[in-house]
Amino acid sequence: MPAAPNRRAVAVILLVPLIVTLSLWAFSWPAARIAPRDLPVGVAGPAPAADQLQQAFEQREGAFEIHRYADAAAAREAIGDRVVYGAVVVTGKGPQLLTASAASPVVAQLLTEAVKGAAPAGAAVPVTDVVAAPKADPRGAALGASILPLALAGVAAGAMITLMGLRGSRAALTLVGAAGLVGVAATAIAHSWLGVITGDWWTEAGAIGLTVLAIGSAVAGLAALLGTKGIGLGALLMVLLGNSFSGVTSAPELLPEPVGAIGQWLPPGAGGSLLRSVAFFDGAAASGAALVLAAWAVLGLAAVLTGGHRRKPNTEEAVAPGHAREPALTS
């Protein structure tokens, strides 16, 4: 049996278990270690009672990042601005919990269980959902499931442009056009049909399109610089790491450190945060995620343009030294 097929068979035998192991690590490990880590939470109310409540949160060292507010109105404003995920307000009748299931249904449930568990036996804790998730997607399952298709769309766009031989400005314009159409089509499904996002239609389409453009540009840019192996590297970065580290199904602050922070610097995580901001919070806290996506898009398109120019074949006919062209015969 020839040596080359033997080597290819061994490569398959070793690579498949390696890919499965990496996939299980990337997807299962963060999900199995979900817990609050510096989770921003507000405490509002008079100083003596609010101080006791803050101390109760701080007993879980490293779990919560406490923000103090004077009253319930200030806490509501902070939740709407995406500064905190929720807040506990001290009132004369006892604590009241403010949540935002649109920011993260998982965090809203976690805070509800924590506050009710700490309350005296039999005491009722009123819960107000300040920014509620849409009725069509109360658990955020549809929004969480949307990031993987967007990542796959971006990878597919970058790979197809590379494999079809598009270069330079033509490749860049094709990426922009494909991302824009994905944004329109995805918003038509998620907003107009399913009703799982409820913000401004065109702003949501722009957020989705920018996410796909950032991913597609990164993949195409890596391919322009590294060749076709750049497609595999881009897919590994965007799908295996970017999607699993995005925190869109829970919250970045619930993932193991530094996974949550890394995920927000990758396009799938930044895209999920941006879409959540424009869909439910009128664009609050959207600038950071938009800048991350724009940076990936600009760097990727720059690599596509420079890589395409560098790889552009020379159309002039090469003439070997010492062999001058024969002049045309004249009569």
Side-chain angles (χ1 to χ4, degrees), residues 89-194:
V89 182
V90 178
T91 67
K93 298 180 180 180
Q96 176 188 2
L97 177 62
L98 306 178
T99 63
S101 58
S104 171
V106 176
V107 171
Q109 182 180 1
L110 183 151
L111 291 176
T112 301
E113 293 175 353
V115 174
K116 287 186 175 182
V125 179
V127 179
T128 302
D129 201 345
V130 177
V131 186
K135 294 181 179 179
D137 188 28
R139 295 178 178 84
L143 181 64
S146 66
I147 298 303
L148 179 57
L150 297 183
L152 293 176
V155 171
M160 291 175 66
I161 283 172
T162 302
L163 297 177
M164 293 175 68
L166 299 178
R167 298 287 184 268
S169 59
R170 184 177 287 105
L173 290 174
T174 303
L175 280 169
V176 173
L181 288 178
V182 170
V184 171
T187 307
I189 294 173
H191 184 119
S192 302
W193 178 34
L194 298 177

Side-chain angles (χ1 to χ4, degrees), residues 184-214:
V184 171
T187 307
I189 294 173
H191 184 119
S192 302
W193 178 34
L194 298 177
V196 298
I197 51 178
T198 57
D200 179 75
W201 202 96
W202 286 107
T203 305
E204 292 168 346
I208 294 173
L210 181 59
T211 301
V212 175
L213 177 62

Side-chain angles (χ1 to χ4, degrees), residues 21-22 77 95 111 124 157 273 281:
T21 302
L22 288 174
E77 184 178 356
L111 291 176
S273 295
F281 293 89

